[in-house]
Amino acid sequence: MRLLWELLVLQSFMVCLADDNTLHGPVFLQEPSSMIFPLDSEEKKVKLNCEVKGNPRPTVGWKLNGTNIDIGMDYRYSAVEGNLLINNPNKTQDSGTYQCVATNPFGRIVSREAKLQFAYLENFKTRTRSTVSVRQGQGMVLLCGPPPHSGGVMGEYEPKIEVQFPETVPSAKGTTVKLECFALGNPVPTISWRRADGKQIPRKARRHRSSGLLEIPNFQQEDAGLYECVAENVRGKNVARGQLIFYAQPNWIQKISDAHAAIEESVFWECRASGRPKPSYRWLKDGEPLLPQGRVQIEQGSLTIANVSLSDAGMYQCAAENRHGIIFASAELSVIAVGPDFSKTLLKKLTLVKVGGEVIIECKPKASPRPTYSWKKGKDILRENERISVLDDGSLRIVNVTKADAGSYTCVATNHFGTASSTGSLVVKDPTRVMVSPFSMDVTVGESIVLPCQVSHDHSLDIMFTWSFNGHLIDFEKDGDHFERVGGDSAGDLMIRSIQLKHAGKYVCMVQTSVDKLSAAADLIVRGPPGPPEAVTIDEITDTTAQLSWRPGADNHSPITMYVVQARTPFSVGWQAVSTVPEVIDGRTFTATVVGLNPWVEYEFRVVAANLIGIGEPSRPSEKRRTEEALPEVTPANVSGGGGSKSELVITWETVPEELQNGGGFGYVVAFRPFGTVSWMQTVVASPDASRYVFRNETLPPFSPYEVKVGVYNNKGEGSFSPVTVVYSAEEEPTRAPTTVFARSLSASDVEISWAPPRENQHKGRIQGYEVRCWRHDEKEENAKKIRTVGNQTSTKVTNLRGNALYHLAVKAYNTAGTGPSSATVNVTTKKPPPSQPPGNIIWNSSDSKIILNWDQVKALDNESEVRGYKVLYRWNRQSSASVIETNKTSVELSLPFDEDYIIEIKPFSDGGDGSSSEQIRIPKISNAYARGSGSSTSNACTLSAISTIMISLTARSSL
């Protein structure tokens, strides 16, 4: 039946292919969605939607938590067009995950999961909370224990600002201002702050509690303005505004201070204060308001009391106030009433003045009120005239003083309270006069001069000379290298040594006594080499030339006669003079063409000026410029080659220096051909630093001559080739071994080996020398010691060997291609080592001009060579090289002059070589008196022998 059913369905499907009503399986048009159902809803039904289509029409069922719902078994469930209705839903029975299931003959499909939840909110628990106590201004948190609930759903709404700062916030200077802003909203709003005038929020401001509190410390005038709190979420935003108004209590800028005034004088006080609003001022005297009247004038913070009297004395206060506060500043006014008193201001006892000069004798007694003044000369009242006058402050002024004005003068001061006087003397001196003034001079750099300054003066007065240079005093200690003051008591001449250009200018000699001062000036012109030329510019540059221009520098008072151009490159050693057109640049020419430059080299130039006095400092360098490229002209030098490995032709050359490459892209062209042929083979070596090329070819005959040349090229093209030279290809290593190899022992450490050249040389190449290999019998051959000879040498010595040891030796010929086959190995045993014991018990005696040495015989050990004799080495103490005497005895007689110290050593020798040497023996110089005495009598000779006989042992060594 199932097979028949499937065939019928398939037949129907095939028949209806062209029909719009096509057979197909279930398809969801609407699937159920999760939902939260409030239990207190007036609607007592839950509807879960499910809409499907299919052909044939699908049947629809439902699952709860994976179990099929039998709608017929529970009256609360019903299905309407596939949708599931639940009447009187229960949170315990109906909460869970629902799925819609659609079925037709083509199959079954299951919808997405839809979760049904129930929202409920029960009552709070009826439990009394504990009391919470806090201090005023302290923050606290009250926790809310919610009742049992599930799914409480709130809709989104725009922010609503519930707590905000006042519209006007008066704020005192220096205080901390806090602005609070709190908003409700869903989602929770974000809080931000800004100023309505567009200015930035002060950087010192701090934000607290998610920006809900803005705190501005140390509030200042510039912080005042309109501030805005912005609460914002996805549903909208809300703004609260408030004006911060700056105010400040008065603060003193200038206070008043105690004052002392004489009767009839005036007093002025001023006080100033800052504040916002601007403070007003009032004055008090002894605690009572002070009003402006008569002698008392008040204008804001200033108080003036004219023609002070005793009644004006007292305490004064200045008050500054605004609506935020008041401050006071206090001071005392003391009124002085006293007769004239000279006790602290006596007239100057002695006043000096020159004839024809002017003098003022001060008279300043303490007095209140101000006194009247009169003067006496001697006992006579002094009358004022055209030369003599009394000044307002009581001082006496005398002009055009004469000798007759000398004498004693008395000032008399009088007021209501008394009279007082004081006396002083006036001394009139002869004036100082310049007798020899400095005079202007014209000098050359390096010269030394003296500027004179000589005067006549009153010798009872001290005189002081000072010099200034261009308005500055000369410091003779600091500038002593060039400046020195010379002359006698009445002269202050200035010596200037080794004058430099910087010493040109105005010199002033200043002379001063206690009664007068005067000065005399002179100009010094210094001629010297020219200053550096200026603004050296490269106007045009080619591959080998550069057009330069410059401006002349200072000629230093000597006309410029010529200019010299210098150049520097990265390859030169310092600055070098260059050739120019014109060849000689005169002092009136400020352009030149530099010639003979190398192409493609970076140059900088400078110019030096000269005049009849000398050569000046060079100019600042010009900018760096590179010459243009050109074909290379210099070819590689020392083209040669040879050597290398088999089938190689090695060609070498000296690289062309970078400064001679004439351009970028520099390289070499290597050309070669077999000797006697016509055609050249060429290859390009692109590296400018290359100095070697190796041509490899298996058909290359060994040690064959080739003609070789090397050319150059760069970006501009190819240059010329070097001269042709002959180079040989790599040679073959020798094919024959040396013959007639013989070795013999020379000592315990040395052997000699000799050989004959190979009998026939069939290889193509040369024998450059021979390689000797030597290894001890107990060593491996690959670790052999190697010694190479050069040229036709057919013997050599092998040194530093171990004594009494068997060695194997072999020889190979070699050349640049390598080494040839080895000769037959020869064996040799080194001799036993020489005696290790040095000569001992050395005794020396001197007689006449002879020194006699004796020592004990040295006995060789069993493993040492027998002693064949002894070597006596002697030298002057001041010499490094020694003379040697050999003897087979244990004594020797030396004929040596006695006028020098001698150093002597003795050592045995054997077939194994020289043995250990004795310690050095120092034979001291013997005086002529002893030498002469030893040749004249036996007794003296015996005495000499007793004096000069010394035992030297190895345990008691003489100090050298």
Side-chain angles (χ1 to χ4, degrees), residues 682-733:
Q682 290 190 357
T683 187
V684 173
V685 180
S687 171
D689 300 320
S691 60
R692 186 173 186 265
Y693 171 72
V694 179
F695 174 70
R696 295 180 179 88
N697 193 313
E698 294 297 329
T699 64
L700 199 69
F703 204 62
S704 299
Y706 280 80
E707 291 182 305
V708 172
K709 60 182 179 179
V710 181
V712 289
Y713 71 92
N714 62 17
N715 291 336
K716 298 292 286 186
E718 293 188 14
S720 56
F721 281 90
S722 66
V724 176
T725 187
V726 176
V727 174
Y728 283 82
S729 60
E731 52 195 345
E732 292 180 339
E733 64 271 11

Side-chain angles (χ1 to χ4, degrees), residues 43 60 211 233 237 245 311 403 422 498-499 561 577 583 589 623 669 722 772 832 895 916:
E43 181 69 33
V60 177
S211 297
N233 65 11
K237 67 179 178 180
I245 300 174
S311 63
K403 288 281 189 178
S422 180
S498 185
I499 290 176
T561 57
E583 185 175 356
T589 301
E623 62 175 330
V669 179
S722 66
V772 176
K832 292 182 178 180
S895 297
S916 299

Side-chain angles (χ1 to χ4, degrees), residues 24 28 82 105 208 248 291 360 420 434 512 632 640 870 949:
H24 60 85
F28 284 114
H208 303 280
L291 301 177
I360 294 178
V434 176
Q512 185 171 1
S640 60
Y870 301 89
T949 301

Side-chain angles (χ1 to χ4, degrees), residues 745-751 774 776-779 785 798-807 828-835 862-865 910-914:
S745 176
L746 301 178
S747 66
S749 60
D750 301 337
V751 299
C774 175
R776 208 167 56 243
H777 182 67
D778 56 352
E779 294 178 334
K785 183 177 183 179
V798 184
T799 60
N800 297 324
L801 303 179
R802 183 184 296 178
N804 197 24
L806 175 62
Y807 282 88
V828 64
T829 301
T830 54
K831 296 183 183 298
K832 292 182 178 180
D862 292 341
N863 62 343
E864 295 177 344
S865 300
S910 66
D911 289 341
D914 292 345

